[in-house]
Amino acid sequence: MLKDCNAGERFEGVLLINEWKEVPFRQKPGAYLSLTCQDSSGQMQGKMWNYDPQVLVLLKDQDIVRIKGVASEYRGTLDLTIETIKIVAEEDVDLSELLPSSPIAASELEKRLTVLIEKTSQRELRALLEQVFGHPEWGDAFRKAPAAMKVHQAYLRGLWEHSVRVAELVEEIAKYYPKMNRDLAVTGALLHDLGKIGEYNYERGIKFTTEGRLLGHIILGIELLTEEITKISDFPRELRSKLLHIITSHHGKYEWQSPKRPKLMEALVIHYADALDAELYQFEQAKENHPEDEWSPYIPSMERYIYLK
Amino acid sequence: MLKDCNAGERFEGVLLINEWKEVPFRQKPGAYLSLTCQDSSGQMQGKMWNYDPQVLVLLKDQDIVRIKGVASEYRGTLDLTIETIKIVAEEDVDLSELLPSSPIAASELEKRLTVLIEKTSQRELRALLEQVFGHPEWGDAFRKAPAAMKVHQAYLRGLWEHSVRVAELVEEIAKYYPKMNRDLAVTGALLHDLGKIGEYNYERGIKFTTEGRLLGHIILGIELLTEEITKISDFPRELRSKLLHIITSHHGKYEWQSPKRPKLMEALVIHYADALDAELYQFEQAKENHPEDEWSPYIPSMERYIYLK
Amino acid sequence: MLKDCNAGERFEGVLLINEWKEVPFRQKPGAYLSLTCQDSSGQMQGKMWNYDPQVLVLLKDQDIVRIKGVASEYRGTLDLTIETIKIVAEEDVDLSELLPSSPIAASELEKRLTVLIEKTSQRELRALLEQVFGHPEWGDAFRKAPAAMKVHQAYLRGLWEHSVRVAELVEEIAKYYPKMNRDLAVTGALLHDLGKIGEYNYERGIKFTTEGRLLGHIILGIELLTEEITKISDFPRELRSKLLHIITSHHGKYEWQSPKRPKLMEALVIHYADALDAELYQFEQAKENHPEDEWSPYIPSMERYIYLK
Amino acid sequence: MLKDCNAGERFEGVLLINEWKEVPFRQKPGAYLSLTCQDSSGQMQGKMWNYDPQVLVLLKDQDIVRIKGVASEYRGTLDLTIETIKIVAEEDVDLSELLPSSPIAASELEKRLTVLIEKTSQRELRALLEQVFGHPEWGDAFRKAPAAMKVHQAYLRGLWEHSVRVAELVEEIAKYYPKMNRDLAVTGALLHDLGKIGEYNYERGIKFTTEGRLLGHIILGIELLTEEITKISDFPRELRSKLLHIITSHHGKYEWQSPKRPKLMEALVIHYADALDAELYQFEQAKENHPEDEWSPYIPSMERYIYLK
Amino acid sequence: MLKDCNAGERFEGVLLINEWKEVPFRQKPGAYLSLTCQDSSGQMQGKMWNYDPQVLVLLKDQDIVRIKGVASEYRGTLDLTIETIKIVAEEDVDLSELLPSSPIAASELEKRLTVLIEKTSQRELRALLEQVFGHPEWGDAFRKAPAAMKVHQAYLRGLWEHSVRVAELVEEIAKYYPKMNRDLAVTGALLHDLGKIGEYNYERGIKFTTEGRLLGHIILGIELLTEEITKISDFPRELRSKLLHIITSHHGKYEWQSPKRPKLMEALVIHYADALDAELYQFEQAKENHPEDEWSPYIPSMERYIYLK
Amino acid sequence: MLKDCNAGERFEGVLLINEWKEVPFRQKPGAYLSLTCQDSSGQMQGKMWNYDPQVLVLLKDQDIVRIKGVASEYRGTLDLTIETIKIVAEEDVDLSELLPSSPIAASELEKRLTVLIEKTSQRELRALLEQVFGHPEWGDAFRKAPAAMKVHQAYLRGLWEHSVRVAELVEEIAKYYPKMNRDLAVTGALLHDLGKIGEYNYERGIKFTTEGRLLGHIILGIELLTEEITKISDFPRELRSKLLHIITSHHGKYEWQSPKRPKLMEALVIHYADALDAELYQFEQAKENHPEDEWSPYIPSMERYIYLK
């Protein structure tokens, strides 16, 4: 694993090339190869001084390669000086070793999801949850997709982790407000980001799909849900409207691409829990990435520095 | 018709009561009845000094009534002093005589719509247009719905009038930009506001439906279109995405409740033509309503006064 | 109590005059008296047709009076036709019968507050909480003050109710994020609005104080807390900074009058829980005030209509 | 021409130096020369490893030079390794070979402009158009100036191309709104950006003039037009105000530097057609520059990625 | 004078009618006349219970009338019960007795203006000031116009008062910044609002002119100044640009309708002094109008309450 | 001094290292050292090609070192090629030779401050000023601190220079508005930024303190002032509120981190004078730094280019 590699040591292993380019030297003819490599434990920058020009023709972004080289360090950052590079067929590789994934194990997430579903007593909502999360395609995709491109839980199982925690938060909060419908709130929380399974492609790294860019995960979620709801006989029209409203409004503001603001207690709480979990994730990450520091670097998505002590 | 009634004349006819209330006198016990009445030719304020208390129990907003009274004028505004009021059964009335409708006749709109459809040669788009506008429920609703609650074309056939004109504008503009796909642009223009048929209830006056308030016409339009597209075999996935993107982005900005900004030439032009037609409508209305004035009153939706000369 | 009074019945009792004015008749000389009256159960509009001119000299806003009159109704709203009015000395009245207060009893709030404090193990925070809530002046004021002028919990004990619930929410949420300091979060939550005890005057109705208008409750809270912290020996400087930062940043945004954005996990969660409780209160109020309706009236502070079903 | 030059080939020709600098080597003493070169067909980056220090004294930005060198390629981008460079006197060069210009020929633009003018029947507007476009100085400058610094039609004849197309669009749109004055709209459209002839200096590359920076093209346009209108006897005061209002308001919003919002139908349509043409130009450019791609790079002026299929 | 009239007293005098309307009674047929009257000392609301219907035909807004009636008071506000009303020819009246004007006498303003001009030593600026303020039409209008519609110095001589004070402030400030050009700053300050002489009509009350609404005082000021500058031989082009830039940018922000932001020290200081004087005027007014109060009413133009002690 | 060093000359002297890093070569193994050096006369970039690896362990940001090297120039910018570097103990150095400071001498600032204080006749304000500026800790810190991190007067004595000038401006302006309290305005102006002495650490370069980041100089100023005011017996409560309000509101807008907007004339003028002085400083700096240019480079804090002629 990349994270086990120390300065001065040799490295040999299978890596995913996130992107690469040929960089011309600034004061002499010629160029070197710069590659961003990753496995599930992290990323490292690689440099290759001598290479067969043939590699320029064969190599593509997101290729999987076997690499040999030596790690070297400049002030805490490791670089990989690459000696040989060889393309590997996808079928010979376990992708989960190349992509980062949630620190929470699938088995634990499954257990927590099951508890949330089983406590749902409203018949149609229970049926919908079982149908979606048991769906051969959507259920699988939901358990694999990341929660975001970059900002929070941008790794495999991230969507699952995020959705379960938002649902749990919503469930706790609902206890303090007796007028709130727990089952609607929890169902909405579990499904609020469902459209993300169509918004990202995450086979090798996380990319937007064309549908994701053209429509976004709110519209994609509406499409998926309307289709699934149709299959449940006698799903009450009003309940359907409320659930679709929760998806529609979960970003909370027009400027954040929600075409409606929350008009139900349940929609409001989901919006808050969603935003809170995404922001707290960034605090946690900053603390993990800078265990020694008093202040984080500037965090553009939050427009501030964070105090880490 | 109300608009034919002059000061001092008696009026007798069938009117729709938009809203009504009992207004207590300010310096003596008792109250009078204030009613907003309308027929297709306009609105008038009514006052009833003596009335059977029974009327308070029977009368509801949006009731249809037969009224006898006298019109009187204070500085150009007519009031109706009502003498008798009698509720009329809906089946005895032609609703189109009570609600305003587009100044453009249905026959002309039909002709212009037909021309736009017939010039569409891309097979699937042509099929979709024919299917939607020939749909027993949606086609009918589209030809009847208003284009907005208040701001523009807020009358029967308003959606039809607006959609046809936006499509015609888009078609003209497309001629100047050869990279634009005329058929996609015209189809998108005709369908951009389709969701409005579910956003408003316009049986008697224009009201938002609950689904309209919870989801809005963009989401409702997405639902309708995905359902219709499914019925067309081999509708290309990419064309479907483009069409849904046009619906999604036609307000042009996040703050105006579009969850995506226009990313296609066709989507951009539809957004512009839509906004332009809505704003020009207000100029036209202001000129019609104030034929003598140099300046309009303040127009809140445009945040300005308009010059009428 | 006003809320027990029905149309047509006589009323006699002690009321607080929120404001009053003499209203000239529009078409004859003379005027009548219009008064907004309240007791702890609600408000009612009063009208007095005949009155001793002397009353104009004696009566002041926020006066307490004994009133005799008759209630009458127009379409669901009750009016009080006042026959006699007599000023009452404050010492003869129990103010808690004239002002609304939290639906949650003081004894329950005290119990919940005690639990929160007793679970706080960090020595200095525990000491600070005991000192503030046991303070003869601040502790008392905190238990009496409203949480806001108008928008949420605008009644006696409102600040107490709001602060306890925010602290409880924060405590629940903290369980999901192990990096969060529960004691700091709960202490901050209980104290975040402390400055409100100086921002409002709530002897008779809720008014801003001059200091409240000039400085606001964030600055007033900073003043109070720095003074209290000074009394605790060895209060760590860093802990003090964090606590003051929580007060400073609890509105979350510059535009909402927080001069700093939350830079601690604990500050962020308090901001969210504060905003969430204030908004949910409005949902609950709307549901209570409009038990029959599908939609609330427009709620300016939330810029939307709320769905009540 | 630069665009005809392929990797590995020698190049010899006259180029305009847009800007140049001496770049110090990072790990040894000395430096090389980096130059941005252009002719009317495009730009290319040049590097000169050995050069006479004298060149640093002689060379200025915007100089015209004769260059010999060799083109080489790194992943699709061509660089010019320069061997010799020699300054050329301006009088020996045809500037139109060094600066890009509109893809639409001057003869075609002239024809379209003539048609627009000839269809203008309102006497004073016709006179104004003939006078401005026939003006020895302004007419010439208008036919030569670019339409913008960077964003749209940033080349010779760009202003002419843009103004003619905006006028044509406006003319088409006007047909759908009978209350609009076609002659005023077309005249306003042709003149709306007239001030740009004073805002940019475009002798060699496009730069802002000092007057352009201090006053902007709206104020400069007002100055030019008031001067020209003065020369036409009996130009109606009201028509003059309307025309000046069109110039003043054509950016549509205060934030976009229009001190007035459009208050005439004609001003509104010109604003929309102006913005639409500028944005569509960017779609067209993105499609031309990335014929193989599904998505454009991020376009800062539009704050989005564009779909190119 | 109206301000000398006390409750219960008779009033007889010449007044300007700002606006008037016939108000129908709410619970009986008929109507009364409501008129807003003013003379230079202030405004008063008038009511006329009995009137000759003929008056409705004759009376126009802004008419001058001779009125007889009685003042009566409700809680501090005086009303005028009008008995007779008679239209007066304008030539029989001194308008300055009907319109409010600056508290600073014309003679003092003239003296202060003269000092400012005489201290200006830069030849062309001195010439421009003498020419503009000595201009038979502009000089006169400048000395008469108000400084604003409503917000500040909305009375005769208000523009003069405001411009002189802004120039004096600018002169004082300039002393602290040696790089600033005092003559340019003072000239710009005296002329910054010159266009207001064309923006308002203030013959009888202050109204916007059509040119004022279509173009605004920045554009009108540019027109006036370019015309005046032309008459001064050898006025340096650069000085002209700077002066026009000061006019163009004096509102400081695009959103405040300045198409350019201040890019000269002199322009920046004028913008600040202009805004400061306008806001301080409102503080002074609030203190004068509410001598007894601790807090002003809400001031919409400043979005706040002002502390008056 | 660095500013006396010319291209080609040797340099030897004591410098402060602002920051440094090891930069890897791009096309060969190894790296060089890049250091930002400064003394009170300015900054210079240093490069060290050969260095003892030991230096990486010893050197820290903000270290003081004795440097020998040679200056060389590329197009007007000087670089220092460093030959030897040796760490120097702080006690052997006069820090004022390493940090820039106000161009205005301390003696002159002291004189101007004294004049301002001595003209203050209101007893408590005079006492407060003498106490704060005579305070052994705060008085000293105030005379040393910078006025800002980067934008204006970011050097030693900058806070002193800025505060005195703002007070002088305020004093001048107050003369034109008789309702303004000169003593309150001047006292507020001198103290408005007092909290900056705790917001920055400026021992070696200017850095934010942790308290500065968590609380900001408005809150820190409130803390300092409340503490100082407590020491003055009988300081009127209302005067204290006004002074604290001035600190609280001096940024003028919520978005600029003022939790209250100015509600006193004195607070308003201080806000304006503060902003004006900060902006004019940038004009002055731009003129000094670019004496030959017509236009400044883009100034991000002002979002514009400045005209320098």
Side-chain angles (χ1 to χ4, degrees), chain B residues 150-153 165 275-291 293-309, chain D residues 173 176-181 184 242 245-246 249 252 260-272, chain E residues 214:
Chain B
K150 286 191 191 163
V151 173
H152 66 103
Q153 290 118 333
R165 189 152 54 219
L276 182 61
D277 186 56
E279 290 196 47
L280 286 178
Y281 177 85
Q282 296 176 72
F283 274 90
E284 288 183 324
Q285 278 307 98
K287 289 189 175 197
E288 258 169 45
N289 294 339
H290 308 278
D293 296 344
E294 194 181 2
W295 286 93
S296 76
Y298 184 75
I299 301 183
S301 64
M302 303 191 73
E303 294 179 74
R304 74 196 78 164
Y305 298 86
I306 283 176
Y307 190 58
L308 304 172
K309 291 286 170 188
Chain D
I173 295 169
Y176 288 85
Y177 300 93
K179 289 188 168 50
M180 215 182 296
N181 178 339
L184 177 60
K242 285 179 171 181
H245 171 73
I246 288 172
S249 68
K260 288 287 170 190
R261 295 167 176 143
K263 300 182 176 192
L264 297 173
M265 291 181 94
E266 294 79 11
L268 189 83
V269 174
I270 289 166
H271 160 56
Y272 270 91
Chain E
L214 286 179

Side-chain angles (χ1 to χ4, degrees), chain A residues 32 49 55 111 187 228:
Chain A
Y32 67 96
W49 302 118
V55 83
K111 199 158 49 184
T187 304
E228 291 302 310

Side-chain angles (χ1 to χ4, degrees), chain A residues 63-235:
Chain A
D63 257 342
I64 302 167
V65 295
R66 171 165 295 277
I67 271 178
K68 287 189 199 173
V70 181
S72 51
E73 180 182 6
Y74 295 117
R75 307 190 81 201
T77 305
L78 282 181
D79 257 27
L80 200 59
T81 304
I82 298 173
E83 291 160 0
T84 68
I85 191 166
K86 217 185 108 192
I87 295 177
V88 175
E90 191 173 334
E91 51 274 23
D92 300 341
V93 184
D94 178 355
L95 273 170
S96 78
E97 291 187 0
L98 295 179
L99 299 169
S101 50
S102 167
I104 308 186
S107 57
E108 188 191 327
L109 290 174
E110 194 67 54
K111 199 158 49 184
R112 288 160 68 179
L113 175 61
T114 305
V115 170
L116 288 162
I117 295 177
E118 288 182 349
K119 281 159 72 181
T120 302
S121 57
Q122 199 158 351
R123 191 184 63 77
E124 296 88 0
L125 294 176
R126 172 79 173 262
L128 180 64
L129 289 175
E130 287 173 345
Q131 179 177 302
V132 168
F133 295 114
H135 189 288
E137 189 176 351
W138 313 143
D140 207 51
F142 174 84
R143 283 171 180 86
K144 197 170 160 200
M149 275 291 286
K150 286 193 191 160
V151 172
H152 66 102
Q153 290 121 330
Y155 43 58
L156 298 184
R157 288 201 301 279
L159 176 60
W160 195 5
E161 176 194 330
H162 172 64
S163 303
V164 163
R165 189 152 55 217
V166 169
E168 290 166 342
L169 289 174
V170 160
E171 188 176 45
E172 293 297 343
I173 295 168
K175 292 176 184 160
Y176 288 85
Y177 300 93
K179 288 188 170 51
M180 214 182 295
N181 178 339
R182 180 266 172 210
D183 282 1
L184 177 60
V186 166
T187 304
L190 286 172
L191 298 174
H192 77 283
D193 267 348
L194 185 63
K196 290 208 167 171
I197 67 180
E199 191 175 26
Y200 307 127
N201 178 310
Y202 38 91
E203 287 309 307
R204 300 174 172 201
I206 307 174
K207 315 272 160 193
F208 276 114
T209 62
T210 282
E211 293 212 337
R213 287 179 165 201
L214 286 178
L215 304 177
H217 69 272
I218 287 183
I219 299 290
L220 292 172
I222 294 285
E223 285 189 46
L224 277 171
L225 265 194
T226 50
E227 197 181 318
E228 291 302 310
I229 287 173
T230 311
K231 301 181 193 160
I232 299 173
S233 63
D234 300 328
F235 201 100

Side-chain angles (χ1 to χ4, degrees), chain A residues 264-290:
Chain A
L264 297 173
M265 291 183 93
E266 295 80 11
L268 189 83
V269 174
I270 289 165
H271 160 56
Y272 270 91
D274 177 26
L276 182 61
D277 186 56
E279 289 195 48
L280 286 178
Y281 177 85
Q282 296 176 71
F283 276 89
E284 287 183 322
Q285 277 308 95
K287 289 189 175 197
E288 258 169 45
N289 293 338
H290 308 277

